[in-house]
Amino acid sequence: MFSKLKSLREYFRVFLADNRLLFAGIRQRRGAKAKEYLLRRNIHRLEKGLRNPECRIPFGQAYAGQTERDFETYRSQLPPAIADWGDHVLAEYRQRHANPALPVEAPADVAIPLDAPDYASLRAAFAQRTSCRHFIAPAPAGDAIAEILHDTRHIPTSCNREAYRVLIVETPEKRDWLLANSIGLTNFTGVEHCTVLAFVADLAAVNHPRDRHVPVMDCSFASLLFALAAQSRGLATCYLNWPIRPNTDRQSRAVLNLPATQKIVFCLLVGHQNPALSSGKSPKSGRICKV
Ligand SMILES: Cc1cc2nc3c(=O)[nH]c(=O)nc-3n(C[C@H](O)[C@H](O)[C@H](O)COP(=O)(O)O)c2cc1C
């Protein structure tokens, strides 16, 4: 009975902490970061309309004016690539609405060449991926990790909002704190030789509770693409679970200087696999069914 009450209390603590974070995101709807997310969403919606071969002009009038005004206000605070994207999409939107007879065609710089990657190599890489729990020196340099993360930034994210951040945790005290507070580090060797990444979800991107899962999914896609790319550079990885623990989450925000809307979803260890030690190979069923 006592243990049932205890787990019920734990359930509510997690429930409250999780929802407090969601509300923090929704409350900050007028903040600069939330504006950036909304702008990205609306620019993306306009772009989708423009790229539609059956696009009917006019469209998007309910939000295009506000998007233009917000873009003007916040343009200087946007990442340069996003600001350029906004310039192009909004200019094309204006042009097409001024002259609805213009043909629908993607500008040359956004046309996508669909070169198929070598499937056999990809398949081999997928099959070889395993979690590494035995690392040897040297730990990969932060710059090398940043380069791979930059190369793998092309993940799909809901409305292109990129509601996630990847922290390359280089400061020794921060790294030590993360590892000390991770509960999944049993049976590892050589953790001191790996580089620690923290994948962080930003709930400020969620403008409706029904989309609360989106930032967490962004973290998943970003981390897995990174892990596969790292593997092709000879680096092994292992996820480290980061359960929802209200006190630890609060502390993590202080340690990593995270705003109230952001939380760690998991950590990823990156390093060189010790060739003398194996973590085992977990069989996969694939869980595929036709319905
Ligand atoms: C979200 C997530 C959290 C994980 N957390 C841990 C962890 O805390 N400690 C650990 O040793 N492995 C962790 N793993 C690795 C899994 O145990 C591993 O992926 C699984 O056993 C399958 O093995 P494989 O990755 O070698 O195929 C985690 C994996 C995921 C996706």
Side-chain angles (χ1 to χ4, degrees):
M1 181 65 184
F2 179 67
S3 73
K4 265 197 184 147
L5 277 176
K6 220 174 128 191
S7 60
L8 204 63
R9 199 184 67 159
E10 186 57 20
Y11 174 85
F12 274 112
R13 268 162 57 81
V14 168
F15 177 81
L16 286 178
D18 200 24
N19 283 298
R20 204 173 295 134
L21 188 76
L22 182 67
F23 289 137
I26 289 173
R27 257 205 321 271
Q28 294 202 0
R29 224 180 288 185
R30 287 181 222 291
K33 194 67 195 161
K35 276 284 182 212
E36 176 191 328
Y37 285 125
L38 187 64
L39 266 172
R40 292 169 77 127
R41 175 165 183 258
N42 286 339
I43 292 167
H44 156 81
R45 289 163 80 194
L46 294 177
E47 185 186 39
K48 265 202 304 193
L50 292 168
R51 297 280 83 78
N52 182 347
E54 288 167 17
C55 164
R56 277 193 296 267
I57 306 285
F59 74 91
Q61 285 168 310
Y63 59 91
Q66 188 63 46
T67 303
E68 289 272 14
R69 285 190 291 279
D70 286 347
F71 187 70
E72 215 176 296
T73 311
Y74 291 97
R75 191 192 181 288
S76 61
Q77 296 174 41
L78 296 174
I82 302 302
D84 288 351
W85 175 56
D87 284 338
H88 285 119
V89 172
L90 291 174
E92 191 184 343
Y93 179 83
R94 267 179 252 120
Q95 196 188 18
R96 293 277 301 283
H97 280 72
N99 184 359
L102 281 179
V104 178
E105 57 185 40
D109 59 338
V110 299
I112 303 162
L114 285 175
D115 291 338
D118 167 17
Y119 189 69
S121 309
L122 277 179
R123 191 171 52 181
F126 297 154
Q128 281 163 14
R129 189 215 55 80
T130 55
S131 295
C132 170
R133 297 186 183 84
H134 305 292
F135 296 96
I136 51 168
D143 284 349
I145 299 287
E147 191 186 314
I148 303 174
L149 282 168
H150 186 70
D151 289 341
T152 54
R153 70 191 183 283
H154 306 282
I155 55 161
T157 64
S158 169
C159 294
N160 202 27
R161 274 174 290 191
E162 297 184 297
Y164 72 102
R165 290 169 69 196
V166 190
L167 310 183
I168 304 170
V169 187
E170 290 187 312
T171 315
E173 305 83 63
K174 295 183 183 192
R175 184 196 135 93
D176 291 349
W177 186 88
L178 276 177
L179 294 179
N181 283 281
S182 160
I183 56 176
L185 261 183
T186 323
N187 302 317
F188 282 73
T189 62
V191 175
E192 65 279 17
H193 301 310
C194 65
T195 302
V196 179
L197 307 185
F199 283 79
V200 172
D202 190 359
L203 275 287
V206 175
N207 60 342
H208 195 290
R210 69 183 174 212
D211 289 337
R212 65 186 302 160
H213 54 291
V214 159
V216 171
M217 292 173 71
D218 291 356
C219 289
S220 307
F221 300 149
S223 60
L224 191 53
L225 207 56
F226 167 82
L228 287 167
Q231 184 182 324
S232 79
R233 292 279 191 92
L235 294 172
T237 54
C238 190
Y239 283 84
L240 271 191
N241 194 20
W242 192 266
I244 298 172
R245 289 162 297 171
N247 290 340
T248 320
D249 277 345
R250 201 173 314 117
Q251 287 166 21
S252 73
R253 275 194 272 279
V255 171
L256 299 174
N257 300 323
L258 301 179
T261 58
Q262 298 187 5
K263 81 168 287 310
I264 301 174
V265 180
F266 46 74
C267 293
L268 193 69
L269 305 183
V270 196
H272 296 94
Q273 162 87 44
N274 183 341
L277 295 172
S278 157
S279 303
K281 175 86 188 130
S282 307
K284 311 288 175 187
S285 59
R287 300 185 183 277
I288 304 158
C289 56
K290 289 184 175 170
V291 292

